[in-house]
Amino acid sequence: MVHDPLRPQPDDTGQALDSDGEGGGERVAKLLARAGVGSRRDVERLIGEGRVAINGRTLDTPAVKVEPGDIVTVDGEVVAEPEPARLFRYHKPVGLVTSHNDPNGRPTVFKALPDGLPRLISVGRLDINSEGLLLLTNDGQLARALEMPSTGVVRRYRARAHGRTTQEKLDTLAKGVTVEGVRYGPIEAKLDKAKEGPQGANLWITVTLHEGKNREVRRVLESIGLKVNRLIRLAYGPLALGNLGVGEIEEVGPRVVREQFAEHIEPDNLPTGERPLYRVKPKTTRRDPTPAGTEALVRPTGPKEKQPYKAGWAKPKIKVRAHPPPKSKAGAKSEGPTSFGPRPLAKGARPKPAGARDAAPRGTGKSGAGRPGAKPGAGAPKRTGPTTGAARPSGSPRAGGPSPGPRGPKPAASPRGNPAARPRGPGKPGGRGPRG
């Protein structure tokens, strides 16, 4: 067999050694954790299963360091250089397993993520029946630090449980509880709402804890007689679920990562910049209601059909006229629609010649002449100025004027302003007599 100096020998680890006999570089577990393969504990498990190799040589121990230029593979895929730490908020729905691969073939969280994301791992887990906030990151060291109970990161949940309890009973969980030999730390539980039903009460409880052990909330509440049928994680540390929709993912800004989690990230792995690299596609708007990835529907170009009136709909509004009709007198009935313009002729009346003046109707003068009970001669016009010809006898019809009434000619009325023409009668009893 010809010796190939570039091919690693069976007793060669594929790495150069220092002067003191130890290889330089970075430990493989730490490097893969920074690259987002998993936490250090996960990487050690992968190495024990023989799934990690360096320069083509399968590793059987994590006590190996990676030199610059070495090729590291996991399951035959080359692992890229570590990227700056990134953190994502994900609203996990019910029915997804928090795992990359499920042996039972159930849908997983990472297969449901959209494209364009780096290799991510979860910070803690949510079981298949739980929902809410799940943090994802590409930094295994950050994920491990946030998971550890010693870090004391606060987790806040909202649980809907079936059963009956009191706030005093929930306060006993603040001292910690042991369930089936497992010791759980202090838990703060607050009874938010209780609704009685035929088979018991449905309760909403806000639970705050610091450990996050496997199924901790469910087991602790079961120890006091409550069965949890819905569990929502509201917050993890300084990050909250907020208004993030179910199944949506959003990257935390680099500035927030530096301010809140710098103590858990290697200085060389801290993110830079101010804006996140991954941006969510804009949601559909009113102007473009077509969802992304679907074909737009062709809208009809013809006139829109009027929908038939259905019972219960709002009645059409009454049209308002620009000029309302004049109000009729009390007791008078309108004979038809009011229009503006010349009045129609009465039945049997002849049209008036052009240029003729309107004659005042009888009994409509200012003085009330012609009305029943009016004084004789009232309303006669006052003549001023010199007159020519013989004087016209009182009560004779005037040329072109109205004909005398059935009672004969009207007596001449004295002008109002002439006090001598007024008849004098006896004065009122006890009063002054007439003047003059």
Side-chain angles (χ1 to χ4, degrees):
M1 184 177 71
V2 180
H3 174 71
D4 186 359
L6 301 178
R7 180 178 180 181
Q9 302 300 320
D11 56 347
D12 186 11
T13 61
Q15 296 179 321
L17 298 178
D18 323 341
S19 57
D20 55 357
E22 294 185 2
E26 188 177 6
R27 284 186 174 270
V28 63
K30 183 177 181 180
L31 177 69
L32 293 180
R34 289 178 51 212
V37 175
S39 62
R40 295 189 185 185
R41 182 178 296 180
D42 294 337
V43 172
E44 292 175 0
R45 179 176 54 82
L46 294 176
I47 293 174
E49 296 173 357
R51 299 166 59 181
V52 181
I54 298 179
N55 298 330
R57 182 181 179 86
T58 303
L59 301 182
D60 55 3
T61 175
V64 178
K65 293 186 178 181
V66 180
E67 296 288 340
D70 288 345
I71 300 176
V72 183
T73 59
V74 177
D75 294 334
E77 298 182 2
V78 178
V79 179
E81 292 292 331
E83 297 179 354
R86 299 173 67 182
L87 192 61
F88 296 82
R89 295 186 307 124
Y90 176 64
H91 191 160
K92 176 194 172 298
V94 177
L96 297 182
V97 182
T98 310
S99 175
H100 285 87
N101 296 303
D102 184 65
N104 298 326
R106 295 173 294 181
T108 64
V109 167
F110 297 98
K111 290 183 180 180
L113 295 179
D115 299 332
L117 295 172
R119 183 182 177 90
L120 300 174
I121 58 176
S122 63
V123 179
R125 299 191 179 214
L126 286 175
D127 57 43
I128 190 172
N129 296 322
S130 299
E131 56 186 307
L133 180 62
L134 180 65
L135 298 184
L136 306 175
T137 179
N138 65 340
D139 192 331
Q141 183 176 350
L142 174 61
R144 182 61 179 170
L146 298 179
E147 291 174 352
M148 293 294 293
S150 59
T151 309
V153 178
V154 177
R155 292 101 159 157
R156 188 168 70 253
Y157 298 82
R158 198 154 192 255
R160 185 180 66 187
H162 182 74
R164 289 185 175 87
T165 188
T166 60
Q167 184 61 47
E168 290 76 12
K169 197 171 184 179
L170 293 174
D171 292 340
T172 59
L173 301 178
K175 301 177 182 179
V177 63
T178 302
V179 181
E180 297 179 358
V182 180
R183 180 65 182 177
Y184 297 99
I187 297 177
E188 180 183 349
K190 180 181 178 182
L191 182 61
D192 297 331
K193 185 179 179 181
K195 183 178 180 181
E196 289 290 338
Q199 300 180 356
N202 287 323
L203 312 175
W204 281 101
I205 304 173
T206 301
V207 181
T208 305
L209 48 90
H210 300 268
E211 290 183 344
K213 295 181 179 178
N214 185 25
R215 301 178 65 86
E216 180 175 356
V217 177
R218 297 179 184 272
R219 291 178 178 177
V220 168
L221 293 182
E222 285 177 0
S223 65
I224 59 175
L226 301 178
K227 184 178 181 180
V228 177
N229 47 36
R230 188 178 180 185
L231 185 62
I232 308 171
R233 182 189 281 170
L234 301 179
Y236 199 106
L239 303 178
L241 180 63
N243 57 355
L244 193 65
V246 178
E248 293 182 355
I249 186 170
E250 183 178 273
E251 184 174 3
V252 181
R255 186 176 189 179
V256 178
V257 174
R258 292 194 302 267
E259 293 177 354
Q260 300 292 337
F261 307 104
E263 56 181 337
H264 308 303
I265 305 173
E266 292 288 337
D268 297 339
N269 213 30
L270 283 174
T272 58
E274 300 294 332
R275 297 183 179 181
L277 301 178
Y278 178 80
R279 296 185 180 181
V280 184
K281 295 181 181 180
K283 299 181 180 179
T284 57
T285 60
R286 288 187 176 181
R287 295 185 179 181
D288 185 16
T290 306
T294 59
E295 298 181 358
L297 300 177
V298 180
R299 298 182 178 180
T301 57
K304 186 177 180 182
E305 297 182 0
K306 187 176 180 180
Q307 297 182 357
Y309 178 80
K310 295 182 179 180
W313 286 13
K315 295 182 179 180
K317 296 182 178 179
I318 301 176
K319 295 183 179 179
V320 181
R321 302 178 61 174
H323 301 284
K327 297 181 180 180
S328 59
K329 296 182 179 180
K333 297 183 179 179
S334 60
E335 299 179 356
T338 305
S339 59
F340 300 93
R343 296 182 179 180
L345 295 175
K347 188 175 181 180
R350 289 180 297 177
K352 184 168 52 175
R357 298 176 60 184
D358 293 338
R362 298 183 62 183
T364 57
K366 292 184 179 180
S367 61
R371 292 181 299 175
K375 295 181 180 180
K382 183 177 181 182
R383 300 177 63 88
T384 57
T387 59
T388 58
R392 182 170 54 86
S394 176
S396 62
R398 189 172 52 182
S403 60
R407 298 182 180 180
K410 299 179 182 180
S414 61
R416 274 189 171 186
N418 187 5
R422 294 181 182 177
R424 295 184 179 182
K428 295 181 180 180
R432 293 185 300 175
R435 295 181 183 179

